Amino acid sequence: MSEIIEPLRGMNDMLPDEARWWNRLETVARHVFSQYGYREMRVPLLERTQLFKRAIGEYTDIVEKEMFTFEDRDGQSVTLRPEATASLMRAAISNGMVHNQRHRVFTIGPMFRGERPQKGRYRQFYQIDAEAFGYDGPDVDAELILVSARIWKLLGISRVRLEINSLGTPESRAEYREALRAYFTAHEAALDADSRRRLVGNPLRILDSKNPDLAALIAAAPLLTDYLDPASREHFDALKARLDAAGIGYTVNPRLVRGLDYYSRTVFEWVTDALGSQNAVCSGGRYDGLVTQLGGEHTPAIGWALGMERVVLLMQELGLEACADLPHAYFVLAGPAAASRGLQLAEEVRDALPALRIETDLTGGGIKAQFKRADKSGAQLAVVIGEDEVARGSAQIKPLRGGGEQQACPFADLAGRLASLIGSAAVDGDGAARQDRGR
Ligand code: ATP
Ligand code: MG
């Protein structure tokens, strides 16, 4: 036998039991996006390295040490996307979506960062991204936060809280940057190697450091809030008023700077106390300068990215629901005539009850072994069809959970009988929309 090939570090397989949780999150998110008029976009996983260098910034963790970058066959440098915003804005510019237009979009998919893998931090991980471009805010800033809040609400997620801050304009930030540079220069001996490099390149990035030895020094640094320009302050106050009016609780965290260079004004992060140090579950902000930085016409924009692994961990931690995927009914088909008639009947029931999940036993094995599998499948009912049943034109329905009598059911009545036995929830489907109506 050959040697088994293991997956790469930080890259996970998602098995069916796990996928149920992801489907639930994705179903709810898609539903909420449709409620607010956000439309889906899909962009490539691989882009020119230059895109991320220019968009995310040279002095960020991502560009300095986390990108999966390699040369393609033509010798050009390409990078697996570490985040979606740069690609989405590149696509918006490439496809003429930014000039005098407004769009609200979302995308869902994998991102790649060469980080040290740990719980809630992987090398391939998934994000749900929402972006609105062509809007100055602050109304759209508030709406985007409401979209994320509604996703929590529909999933039933508690133990998340919202932190917000304003980074001001690039001009007001320049003044602050010099104040920070002076402060950290005075304490240069206490800085680590990363921070010393950032002191020259972009001292704001020092605030984003995860080195605990620097925490006290960072806590005593000058505050960006004291350097905000009047228009940014007004924008921030208006956002807070919108959130207050919508009943969304938040705290202003003047130290929140976010890991990417392209943000301006509004930044926010949903954090949880349930996942240890990987506490950010959804982060976002306004990036009014990005589109021009990428060669497009000036287009104000804002977006957020939700880390799906972390939200799924949180759903599991909180004991929330995953998508139901166990079969409602399991068809036990004993004998060649039953195998053929059974498949046909299962198709008829699927036509009549599209939301019902039916698993058919395709092994052609003995009835006892099939019953074992029926039980193990988690189905509520077994529909048994043997040669006798085919001859009589009538199946046996046997409850597998919660008692109840076995009963005969003519083939012609099968769909109706299953609908009444299994109940309306299954027959209506169990998507996010029904849940939403129920609240
Ligand atoms: P962190 O501070 O935890 O490194 P970040 O600031 O790098 O997060 P963003 O670039 O804003 O994160 O990405 C948005 C969201 O994606 C984060 O809030 C988090 O939920 C998730 N995320 C980021 N990096 C990873 C990763 N390596 N593995 C899993 N999820 C991640
Ligand atoms: Mg990070």
Side-chain angles (χ1 to χ4, degrees), residues 163-426:
E163 294 192 344
I164 60 173
N165 193 22
S166 175
L167 299 183
T169 58
E171 297 74 38
S172 65
R173 212 153 61 226
E175 202 188 326
Y176 173 64
R177 191 180 302 132
E178 289 323 306
L180 262 191
R181 187 172 279 136
Y183 170 81
F184 284 120
T185 302
H187 295 89
E188 200 173 343
L191 297 179
D192 57 17
D194 271 354
S195 301
R196 271 193 214 134
R197 202 170 50 247
R198 288 167 184 189
L199 183 56
V200 183
N202 184 355
L204 251 85
R205 293 271 66 82
I206 301 175
L207 301 180
D208 214 23
S209 167
K210 291 196 170 68
N211 182 351
D213 297 341
L214 297 183
L217 188 62
I218 289 172
L223 283 180
L224 180 52
T225 328
D226 296 332
Y227 290 80
L228 272 194
D229 56 288
S232 294
R233 191 176 300 281
E234 203 176 300
H235 186 113
F236 194 40
D237 288 342
L239 168 63
K240 288 188 279 186
R242 307 274 187 293
L243 294 177
D244 290 337
I248 303 287
Y250 58 85
T251 47
V252 174
N253 175 359
R255 299 285 170 202
L256 183 66
V257 291
R258 307 275 311 107
L260 316 179
D261 266 356
Y262 52 54
Y263 288 111
S264 53
R265 294 196 168 156
T266 309
V267 287
F268 57 92
E269 200 154 86
W270 287 95
V271 291
T272 177
D273 61 4
L275 297 180
S277 53
Q278 272 53 256
N279 66 344
V281 292
C282 177
S283 331
R286 177 163 282 284
Y287 50 94
D288 291 345
L290 180 62
V291 175
T292 41
Q293 217 168 298
L294 294 178
E297 305 223 13
H298 172 75
T299 306
I302 179 166
W304 54 243
L306 172 159
M308 294 184 76
E309 283 81 0
R310 295 185 194 179
V311 174
V312 165
L313 282 168
L314 189 55
M315 288 163 69
Q316 292 170 341
E317 176 79 24
L318 296 172
L320 303 180
E321 250 182 274
C323 262
D325 68 349
L326 300 180
H328 295 107
Y330 191 101
F331 278 39
V332 170
L333 307 174
S340 147
R341 185 75 177 98
L343 283 194
Q344 192 192 343
L345 279 170
E347 285 303 281
E348 286 168 22
V349 176
R350 289 186 182 110
D351 281 338
L353 306 172
L356 208 70
R357 295 185 293 275
I358 301 173
E359 202 171 313
T360 50
D361 193 291
L362 304 177
T363 63
I367 196 153
K368 213 167 143 196
Q370 290 200 36
F371 258 115
K372 262 198 189 143
R373 278 193 291 276
D375 207 37
K376 214 170 144 206
S377 76
Q380 297 169 36
L381 302 170
V383 174
V384 186
I385 304 171
E387 304 297 297
D388 285 354
E389 281 75 20
V390 174
R392 278 200 300 268
S394 171
Q396 294 290 331
I397 300 179
K398 186 174 187 307
L400 296 170
R401 326 241 160 252
E405 291 295 305
Q406 179 164 326
Q407 51 187 279
C409 175
F411 289 164
D413 300 343
L414 198 53
R417 188 78 60 85
L418 288 177
S420 70
L421 286 171
I422 287 164
S424 60

Side-chain angles (χ1 to χ4, degrees), residues 61-62 66 113 115 121 208 210 259 310:
D61 278 349
I62 293 181
E66 296 175 358
R113 295 184 193 175
E115 303 196 65
R121 190 177 296 284
D208 214 23
K210 291 196 170 68
R310 295 185 194 179

